[in-house]
Amino acid sequence: MGQGGEPRRGHAHDGELSAAVARAQEGDEAAFAVAYRLVQPGLLGYLRGLVGDDAEDVASDAWLEIARDLGRFRGDGAGFRGWTATIGRHRALDHLRRQKARPRSSALEHDVLDLPGPQNTHDQALESISTEHALRLVRGLPKDQAEAVLLRVVVGLDAPAAARVLGKRPGAVRTAAYRGLKRLAEQLGVAGVTDDGPRTLGESK
C-alpha cells in the first residue's frame, strides 16, 4: 500500500484494525480491546497536543462514546482512525470550553513552504514528536498547524482524512501540516529539514 506519494506511518496494522472493528461490531469484546490497543497511542498523542495533561481523561470520555456508537460506524481501519480522532476532537473542544482555556496560538507563523522532502520531514518529526518536549512545542504552533501535524503525524491520517476531521479542505490541511512540521523541525534542530545549516535549538529562540 505504499503507492500514495506520502508515507503512511501508523497504517501498517489497518488490515488488522478493520477486522477487529468488524468483529467488535458483532459484540466481540476481545476484538474491541485489539482495536483500542491499535488506536489509543495515536489518539492519546493527538489529545495530549490539544489538552495537555488532561488527555487521559478526555480519551476515556471519547472511548465511552466510541463504544456506545460503534454500531453506527461504517468504514475500514483508516476510516476508524479518522472517526475516533473526530470524536476525540469533539470531546477535547468540550473540555477546553469547560476549562475556558483554549490552546494559545503563538505568533510564530512562517510562510515558508519549501520543505526539502516531505518523507524525511514526516519521518524525522515522527521520531521526536512522541516526546513530551515535542508535544509542548506542537502546542505552541498556531492552532491549525498544531492540529494538522498531530492528525497527520501522530494519528497517521492522510490529508483527506485529516481534512474531514477538521472540516477543512485537504490542501489547507497539507499546507498547515507542512508549515507546522517545518517550524517544529527548526525547533527540534532536525538536520536536513531546515536549510542545510545543522542548527540545534539549544538556546536560540
Side-chain angles (χ1 to χ4, degrees):
M1 276 185 221
Q3 273 203 304
E6 297 173 0
R8 288 172 61 89
R9 201 50 204 270
H11 288 58
H13 299 292
D14 277 354
E16 185 186 350
L17 181 56
S18 296
V21 170
R23 290 199 315 277
Q25 287 180 313
E26 290 160 9
D28 183 335
E29 287 183 23
F32 186 81
V34 170
Y36 174 87
R37 262 201 322 276
L38 292 171
V39 170
Q40 172 68 352
L43 181 63
L44 195 58
Y46 174 48
L47 294 175
R48 229 189 277 288
L50 296 181
V51 299
D53 293 339
D54 296 330
E56 300 268 1
D57 292 342
V58 173
S60 297
D61 290 346
W63 279 104
L64 286 173
E65 187 174 336
I66 291 161
R68 188 192 72 207
D69 295 344
L70 187 62
R72 298 207 328 249
F73 170 73
R74 297 287 174 270
D76 59 4
F80 186 72
R81 283 181 200 281
W83 184 66
T84 56
T86 300
I87 290 173
R89 181 173 195 265
H90 289 313
R91 295 288 67 78
L93 294 177
D94 287 347
H95 175 80
L96 290 170
R97 270 192 287 273
R98 282 197 304 272
Q99 301 286 308
K100 291 264 194 292
R102 294 185 174 278
R104 199 168 281 230
S105 284
S106 63
L108 309 167
E109 181 143 5
H110 276 219
D111 265 23
V112 198
L113 292 177
D114 54 331
L115 285 187
Q119 196 127 359
N120 284 351
T121 305
H122 280 80
D123 290 349
Q124 292 175 40
L126 237 190
E127 303 300 326
S128 322
I129 208 169
S130 55
T131 67
E132 288 300 318
H133 173 61
L135 282 169
R136 273 199 303 277
L137 290 178
V138 170
R139 292 189 78 196
L141 292 171
K143 191 169 181 295
D144 64 326
Q145 294 181 17
E147 284 207 72
V149 168
L150 289 164
L151 287 169
R152 300 290 312 277
V153 180
V154 179
V155 181
L157 300 183
D158 60 17
R164 280 192 296 275
V165 172
L166 297 173
K168 295 185 173 179
R169 306 175 82 144
V173 171
R174 247 184 233 107
T175 298
Y178 277 8
R179 288 179 179 173
L181 282 169
K182 179 156 176 70
R183 179 80 204 166
L184 188 62
E186 286 170 356
Q187 296 203 354
L188 291 169
V190 177
V193 177
T194 52
D195 305 87
D196 260 7
R199 279 175 51 174
T200 52
L201 190 90
E203 56 273 329
S204 52
K205 234 172 147 4

